[in-house]
Amino acid sequence: MTSTPTPTDFDIRRIGGRIGAEITGVDLSAELPEGILKEIKAALLEHKALVFRNQDLDDEGQLRFASLFGPLTSAHPTVPGIAEQPQILPVDSERGAANVWHTDVTFVQSPPKVSTLRGIVIPPYGGNTLIANTGAAYRDLPKPLRDLADTLWAVHTNDYDYAGPSPKADDEKRQQYREVFVSTKYRTAHPVVRVHPETGERGLFIGAFAQTIEGLSTTESKDVLRLLQAYVTRPENVLRVQWNPGDVVVFDNRITQHYAPDDYDTLPRRLNRVTVAGDVPIGIDGAASRILEGDEAAHYTPAAAS
Protein backbone atom coordinates (compact mmCIF):
# COMPACT_ATOMS: atom_id res chain seq x y z
CA MET A 1 0.00 0.00 0.00
CA THR A 2 1.34 3.41 -0.96
CA SER A 3 1.46 6.20 1.59
CA THR A 4 0.55 9.83 1.25
CA PRO A 5 3.50 12.18 1.84
CA THR A 6 3.27 14.47 4.84
CA PRO A 7 4.84 17.91 5.22
CA THR A 8 7.61 16.37 7.35
CA ASP A 9 8.44 13.73 4.69
CA PHE A 10 8.39 16.00 1.67
CA ASP A 11 11.53 18.00 0.87
CA ILE A 12 12.96 19.99 -2.03
CA ARG A 13 16.75 20.00 -1.97
CA ARG A 14 18.72 22.14 -4.37
CA ILE A 15 21.45 20.12 -6.09
CA GLY A 16 22.94 22.81 -8.33
CA GLY A 17 23.65 26.49 -7.87
CA ARG A 18 21.83 27.51 -11.04
CA ILE A 19 19.72 24.50 -11.96
CA GLY A 20 18.29 21.38 -10.39
CA ALA A 21 16.56 20.12 -7.27
CA GLU A 22 15.92 16.66 -5.85
CA ILE A 23 12.47 15.92 -4.47
CA THR A 24 12.32 13.46 -1.57
CA GLY A 25 9.51 12.03 0.52
CA VAL A 26 7.09 11.55 -2.35
CA ASP A 27 5.80 8.44 -4.10
CA LEU A 28 4.88 9.28 -7.70
CA SER A 29 2.83 6.10 -8.02
CA ALA A 30 0.41 7.42 -5.37
CA GLU A 31 -2.15 10.18 -5.71
CA LEU A 32 -0.39 13.44 -4.85
CA PRO A 33 -2.13 15.89 -2.51
CA GLU A 34 -2.93 19.20 -4.18
CA GLY A 35 -0.55 21.09 -1.90
CA ILE A 36 2.37 18.79 -2.72
CA LEU A 37 1.64 18.98 -6.46
CA LYS A 38 1.55 22.77 -6.26
CA GLU A 39 4.98 22.77 -4.59
CA ILE A 40 6.39 20.43 -7.25
CA LYS A 41 5.13 22.68 -10.05
CA ALA A 42 6.55 25.77 -8.34
CA ALA A 43 9.88 23.98 -7.85
CA LEU A 44 10.01 23.12 -11.55
CA LEU A 45 9.59 26.78 -12.48
CA GLU A 46 12.30 27.80 -10.01
CA HIS A 47 14.86 25.03 -10.50
CA LYS A 48 14.11 24.07 -14.15
CA ALA A 49 14.90 20.37 -13.56
CA LEU A 50 13.68 17.98 -10.83
CA VAL A 51 15.00 14.54 -9.87
CA PHE A 52 12.86 11.89 -8.13
CA ARG A 53 14.92 8.89 -6.99
CA ASN A 54 13.89 5.23 -6.71
CA GLN A 55 10.34 5.56 -7.96
CA ASP A 56 8.24 2.48 -8.68
CA LEU A 57 6.50 3.61 -11.85
CA ASP A 58 5.34 1.54 -14.78
CA ASP A 59 4.34 3.02 -18.14
CA GLU A 60 0.84 3.87 -16.94
CA GLY A 61 2.27 5.51 -13.85
CA GLN A 62 4.63 7.69 -15.88
CA LEU A 63 1.79 8.76 -18.15
CA ARG A 64 -0.39 9.57 -15.16
CA PHE A 65 2.36 11.59 -13.46
CA ALA A 66 3.30 13.51 -16.63
CA SER A 67 -0.36 14.39 -17.23
CA LEU A 68 -0.39 16.33 -13.93
CA PHE A 69 1.56 19.03 -15.80
CA GLY A 70 -0.93 19.25 -18.68
CA PRO A 71 -2.23 17.41 -21.77
CA LEU A 72 0.27 14.94 -23.24
CA THR A 73 1.70 14.88 -26.74
CA SER A 74 2.12 11.71 -28.73
CA ALA A 75 5.62 10.21 -28.63
CA HIS A 76 7.10 12.28 -31.47
CA PRO A 77 5.97 14.05 -34.65
CA THR A 78 7.55 11.41 -36.90
CA VAL A 79 8.95 8.59 -34.75
CA PRO A 80 6.33 6.15 -33.40
CA GLY A 81 6.10 5.38 -29.71
CA ILE A 82 5.95 1.92 -28.19
CA ALA A 83 3.16 -0.22 -29.61
CA GLU A 84 1.04 -0.38 -26.46
CA GLN A 85 1.57 3.27 -25.44
CA PRO A 86 1.80 5.71 -28.38
CA GLN A 87 2.58 8.61 -26.01
CA ILE A 88 5.82 7.01 -24.78
CA LEU A 89 9.05 7.43 -26.77
CA PRO A 90 11.79 4.89 -25.95
CA VAL A 91 15.14 6.67 -25.73
CA ASP A 92 17.17 3.61 -26.61
CA SER A 93 20.89 3.23 -27.31
CA GLU A 94 20.05 0.78 -30.10
CA ARG A 95 18.46 3.63 -32.08
CA GLY A 96 21.62 5.73 -31.94
CA ALA A 97 23.10 8.33 -29.63
CA ALA A 98 21.48 11.77 -29.46
CA ASN A 99 24.62 13.22 -27.92
CA VAL A 100 24.07 16.83 -28.94
CA TRP A 101 22.72 19.73 -26.91
CA HIS A 102 19.07 20.24 -27.78
CA THR A 103 15.61 21.18 -26.55
CA ASP A 104 12.98 18.57 -27.38
CA VAL A 105 11.12 18.86 -30.69
CA THR A 106 11.78 22.55 -31.37
CA PHE A 107 11.38 21.98 -35.10
CA VAL A 108 7.57 22.21 -34.70
CA GLN A 109 5.64 25.38 -33.90
CA SER A 110 4.46 24.20 -30.45
CA PRO A 111 7.32 22.31 -28.76
CA PRO A 112 6.66 20.46 -25.51
CA LYS A 113 6.21 22.37 -22.28
CA VAL A 114 7.69 19.68 -20.04
CA SER A 115 9.67 16.50 -20.66
CA THR A 116 9.71 13.52 -18.27
CA LEU A 117 12.29 10.72 -18.40
CA ARG A 118 12.19 7.42 -16.52
CA GLY A 119 15.21 5.17 -16.10
CA ILE A 120 14.56 1.63 -17.41
CA VAL A 121 17.96 0.09 -18.30
CA ILE A 122 20.97 1.96 -16.92
CA PRO A 123 24.59 1.08 -17.77
CA PRO A 124 26.95 0.47 -14.82
CA TYR A 125 28.98 3.50 -15.86
CA GLY A 126 28.33 6.57 -18.00
CA GLY A 127 24.93 7.22 -19.53
CA ASN A 128 24.26 10.40 -17.53
CA THR A 129 21.97 13.20 -18.71
CA LEU A 130 23.19 16.80 -18.69
CA ILE A 131 20.59 19.59 -18.39
CA ALA A 132 21.39 23.28 -18.90
CA ASN A 133 19.63 26.44 -17.73
CA THR A 134 19.16 28.65 -20.80
CA GLY A 135 17.77 31.49 -18.69
CA ALA A 136 21.04 31.74 -16.79
CA ALA A 137 22.87 31.56 -20.13
CA TYR A 138 20.92 34.57 -21.40
CA ARG A 139 21.73 36.55 -18.26
CA ASP A 140 25.42 35.67 -18.69
CA LEU A 141 25.57 37.32 -22.11
CA PRO A 142 27.43 40.63 -22.26
CA LYS A 143 24.99 43.43 -23.06
CA PRO A 144 26.05 43.81 -26.73
CA LEU A 145 25.41 40.08 -27.27
CA ARG A 146 22.09 40.21 -25.40
CA ASP A 147 20.99 43.14 -27.56
CA LEU A 148 21.90 41.17 -30.69
CA ALA A 149 20.26 37.95 -29.52
CA ASP A 150 17.05 39.85 -28.71
CA THR A 151 16.61 40.66 -32.41
CA LEU A 152 17.41 37.24 -33.91
CA TRP A 153 15.19 34.46 -35.22
CA ALA A 154 16.50 30.94 -35.77
CA VAL A 155 15.19 28.32 -38.18
CA HIS A 156 14.81 24.93 -36.46
CA THR A 157 14.52 21.75 -38.52
CA ASN A 158 14.49 17.97 -38.09
CA ASP A 159 16.18 17.58 -41.50
CA TYR A 160 19.72 16.92 -40.33
CA ASP A 161 21.64 14.03 -38.76
CA TYR A 162 20.41 14.48 -35.18
CA ALA A 163 20.92 10.93 -33.88
CA GLY A 164 24.63 10.30 -34.19
CA PRO A 165 26.37 6.98 -34.81
CA SER A 166 26.37 4.43 -32.03
CA PRO A 167 28.38 1.21 -31.81
CA LYS A 168 25.13 -0.58 -30.91
CA ALA A 169 23.23 0.64 -33.98
CA ASP A 170 24.29 -0.82 -37.30
CA ASP A 171 24.32 1.32 -40.44
CA GLU A 172 21.09 -0.15 -41.79
CA LYS A 173 19.18 0.53 -38.54
CA ARG A 174 20.58 4.05 -38.38
CA GLN A 175 19.51 4.74 -41.95
CA GLN A 176 16.03 3.38 -41.29
CA TYR A 177 15.70 5.54 -38.18
CA ARG A 178 16.95 8.57 -40.10
CA GLU A 179 14.35 8.00 -42.83
CA VAL A 180 11.56 7.81 -40.25
CA PHE A 181 12.88 10.88 -38.39
CA VAL A 182 12.68 13.07 -41.52
CA SER A 183 9.69 11.34 -43.14
CA THR A 184 7.90 14.67 -42.71
CA LYS A 185 10.23 17.66 -42.86
CA TYR A 186 9.63 20.51 -40.48
CA ARG A 187 11.13 23.99 -40.50
CA THR A 188 10.00 26.57 -37.95
CA ALA A 189 11.27 30.06 -37.16
CA HIS A 190 11.56 30.66 -33.43
CA PRO A 191 12.83 33.72 -31.53
CA VAL A 192 16.39 33.17 -30.33
CA VAL A 193 15.29 34.75 -27.05
CA ARG A 194 12.06 33.22 -25.78
CA VAL A 195 9.91 34.72 -23.02
CA HIS A 196 8.77 32.05 -20.59
CA PRO A 197 4.94 32.09 -20.62
CA GLU A 198 4.59 31.55 -16.85
CA THR A 199 7.54 33.38 -15.28
CA GLY A 200 8.35 36.02 -17.90
CA GLU A 201 12.02 34.94 -17.73
CA ARG A 202 14.05 35.27 -20.92
CA GLY A 203 16.08 32.33 -22.17
CA LEU A 204 18.12 31.35 -25.23
CA PHE A 205 15.91 29.14 -27.38
CA ILE A 206 18.40 27.45 -29.69
CA GLY A 207 20.07 24.00 -29.52
CA ALA A 208 20.92 21.48 -32.21
CA PHE A 209 17.68 21.78 -34.17
CA ALA A 210 18.46 25.49 -34.71
CA GLN A 211 20.44 25.35 -37.94
CA THR A 212 20.38 28.88 -39.36
CA ILE A 213 19.65 32.49 -38.38
CA GLU A 214 17.19 34.37 -40.54
CA GLY A 215 18.97 37.00 -42.61
CA LEU A 216 22.42 35.42 -42.20
CA SER A 217 24.37 33.01 -44.38
CA THR A 218 24.93 29.42 -43.27
CA THR A 219 28.50 30.21 -42.20
CA GLU A 220 27.46 33.37 -40.33
CA SER A 221 24.59 31.48 -38.70
CA LYS A 222 26.85 28.72 -37.40
CA ASP A 223 29.28 31.26 -35.96
CA VAL A 224 26.54 33.18 -34.13
CA LEU A 225 24.81 30.02 -32.87
CA ARG A 226 28.12 28.57 -31.70
CA LEU A 227 28.89 31.76 -29.78
CA LEU A 228 25.50 31.84 -28.05
CA GLN A 229 25.49 28.09 -27.40
CA ALA A 230 28.80 28.36 -25.55
CA TYR A 231 27.02 30.34 -22.83
CA VAL A 232 24.35 27.64 -22.47
CA THR A 233 26.89 24.88 -21.85
CA ARG A 234 29.08 26.70 -19.32
CA PRO A 235 29.66 24.22 -16.45
CA GLU A 236 28.01 26.50 -13.91
CA ASN A 237 24.77 26.37 -15.93
CA VAL A 238 24.69 22.56 -16.20
CA LEU A 239 23.28 19.80 -13.98
CA ARG A 240 24.59 16.24 -14.40
CA VAL A 241 22.04 13.54 -13.53
CA GLN A 242 23.49 10.11 -12.71
CA TRP A 243 20.76 7.56 -13.32
CA ASN A 244 19.52 4.61 -11.32
CA PRO A 245 16.77 2.31 -12.58
CA GLY A 246 13.42 3.78 -11.54
CA ASP A 247 14.61 7.37 -11.30
CA VAL A 248 12.34 10.01 -12.84
CA VAL A 249 13.61 13.35 -14.15
CA VAL A 250 11.38 16.26 -15.14
CA PHE A 251 12.61 19.38 -16.90
CA ASP A 252 11.04 22.56 -18.23
CA ASN A 253 11.54 22.25 -21.97
CA ARG A 254 10.86 25.99 -22.44
CA ILE A 255 14.03 27.12 -20.67
CA THR A 256 16.47 24.18 -20.72
CA GLN A 257 18.59 22.13 -23.08
CA HIS A 258 19.85 18.62 -22.46
CA TYR A 259 22.53 16.23 -23.70
CA ALA A 260 23.18 12.50 -23.25
CA PRO A 261 26.92 11.75 -23.51
CA ASP A 262 27.67 8.57 -25.45
CA ASP A 263 30.20 7.33 -22.87
CA TYR A 264 28.95 3.84 -22.00
CA ASP A 265 30.62 1.82 -24.78
CA THR A 266 28.36 -0.89 -26.25
CA LEU A 267 26.27 -1.26 -23.09
CA PRO A 268 22.48 -0.98 -23.36
CA ARG A 269 20.73 2.16 -22.10
CA ARG A 270 16.98 2.77 -22.16
CA LEU A 271 14.87 5.63 -20.84
CA ASN A 272 11.19 6.23 -21.52
CA ARG A 273 10.17 9.78 -22.43
CA VAL A 274 6.73 11.35 -22.05
CA THR A 275 6.21 14.99 -23.03
CA VAL A 276 3.57 17.55 -22.08
CA ALA A 277 2.01 19.79 -24.74
CA GLY A 278 3.35 23.33 -24.88
CA ASP A 279 2.38 26.63 -26.45
CA VAL A 280 3.78 28.63 -29.35
CA PRO A 281 6.99 30.43 -28.30
CA ILE A 282 6.87 34.22 -28.06
CA GLY A 283 9.80 36.61 -28.48
CA ILE A 284 10.47 39.75 -26.46
CA ASP A 285 8.61 41.84 -29.06
CA GLY A 286 5.49 39.69 -28.67
CA ALA A 287 5.88 37.99 -32.05
CA ALA A 288 5.06 34.28 -32.24
CA SER A 289 6.97 31.45 -33.92
CA ARG A 290 6.15 30.77 -37.58
CA ILE A 291 5.85 27.55 -39.59
CA LEU A 292 8.09 27.58 -42.66
CA GLU A 293 7.69 23.97 -43.81
CA GLY A 294 5.54 21.08 -42.63
CA ASP A 295 2.11 21.08 -41.02
CA GLU A 296 0.98 22.28 -37.60
CA ALA A 297 1.74 18.84 -36.14
CA ALA A 298 -1.76 18.59 -34.67
CA HIS A 299 -1.33 14.80 -34.75
CA TYR A 300 1.53 15.27 -32.28
CA THR A 301 0.47 17.96 -29.84
CA PRO A 302 -2.95 19.20 -28.66
CA ALA A 303 -1.57 22.74 -28.55
CA ALA A 304 -1.27 22.77 -32.34
CA ALA A 305 -4.96 21.99 -32.69
CA SER A 306 -6.21 24.67 -30.31
Side-chain angles (χ1 to χ4, degrees):
M1 179 181 295
T2 57
S3 59
T4 300
T6 67
T8 55
D9 297 326
F10 182 78
D11 190 37
I12 301 171
R13 181 175 66 87
R14 176 175 285 183
I15 53 177
R18 292 187 170 189
I19 180 173
E22 187 170 304
I23 308 290
T24 59
V26 63
D27 179 358
L28 300 185
S29 67
E31 184 175 350
L32 298 178
E34 188 60 35
I36 295 294
L37 179 57
K38 185 176 180 180
E39 288 195 57
I40 290 173
K41 290 180 177 179
L44 182 60
L45 292 178
E46 178 181 357
H47 299 291
K48 314 297 190 290
L50 304 178
V51 180
F52 301 83
R53 297 293 186 188
N54 304 313
Q55 298 296 316
D56 185 23
L57 287 183
D58 55 14
D59 289 347
E60 288 289 348
Q62 184 178 2
L63 289 167
R64 184 173 58 251
F65 172 63
S67 68
L68 296 176
F69 297 91
L72 302 182
T73 71
S74 62
H76 190 273
T78 57
V79 179
I82 62 179
E84 304 82 7
Q85 298 288 1
Q87 292 173 311
I88 297 177
L89 182 74
V91 181
D92 197 323
S93 57
E94 291 191 356
R95 292 189 175 195
N99 53 333
V100 291
W101 282 102
H102 65 286
T103 299
D104 283 336
V105 199
T106 59
F107 48 85
V108 301
Q109 189 181 32
S110 301
K113 164 187 175 181
V114 170
S115 295
T116 72
L117 294 173
R118 174 167 60 101
I120 309 295
V121 178
I122 306 301
Y125 56 84
N128 301 164
T129 296
L130 310 183
I131 309 171
N133 182 344
T134 63
Y138 175 78
R139 293 191 295 274
D140 285 343
L141 294 175
K143 187 176 185 305
L145 275 183
R146 279 203 311 272
D147 291 344
L148 173 63
D150 286 345
T151 68
L152 300 177
W153 286 71
V155 176
H156 296 234
T157 181
N158 63 328
D159 189 14
Y160 84 109
D161 197 9
Y162 163 58
S166 167
K168 288 196 66 64
D170 61 34
D171 289 342
E172 183 177 355
K173 284 184 178 179
R174 286 187 61 243
Q175 181 58 32
Q176 289 173 349
Y177 183 77
R178 160 75 179 170
E179 290 173 358
V180 171
F181 196 86
V182 298
S183 55
T184 299
K185 295 181 181 179
Y186 292 94
R187 292 172 60 247
T188 302
H190 291 299
V192 165
V193 178
R194 179 180 184 176
V195 179
H196 195 288
E198 294 187 70
T199 67
E201 187 176 2
R202 297 180 181 185
L204 291 175
F205 198 62
I206 44 177
F209 294 119
Q211 292 289 292
T212 56
I213 299 290
E214 289 191 325
L216 300 182
S217 69
T218 300
T219 300
E220 292 165 340
S221 295
K222 289 187 180 300
D223 287 342
V224 171
L225 289 168
R226 188 180 300 115
L227 177 61
L228 296 176
Q229 184 66 23
Y231 284 85
V232 174
T233 57
R234 283 182 165 185
E236 57 266 37
N237 292 334
V238 175
L239 172 71
R240 178 182 286 267
V241 177
Q242 294 181 302
W243 287 95
N244 302 298
D247 289 349
V248 174
V249 173
V250 182
F251 48 86
D252 189 332
N253 204 55
R254 300 163 294 185
I255 197 160
T256 60
Q257 289 183 25
H258 54 284
Y259 179 105
D262 185 10
D263 61 352
Y264 44 97
D265 299 325
T266 60
L267 296 166
R269 177 183 186 268
R270 162 81 180 263
L271 310 175
N272 275 3
R273 188 184 86 184
V274 177
T275 50
V276 179
D279 51 7
V280 177
I282 302 294
I284 64 171
D285 60 354
S289 300
R290 313 183 313 274
I291 296 172
L292 302 178
E293 183 179 358
D295 56 30
E296 293 184 357
H299 67 286
Y300 163 66
T301 178
S306 61

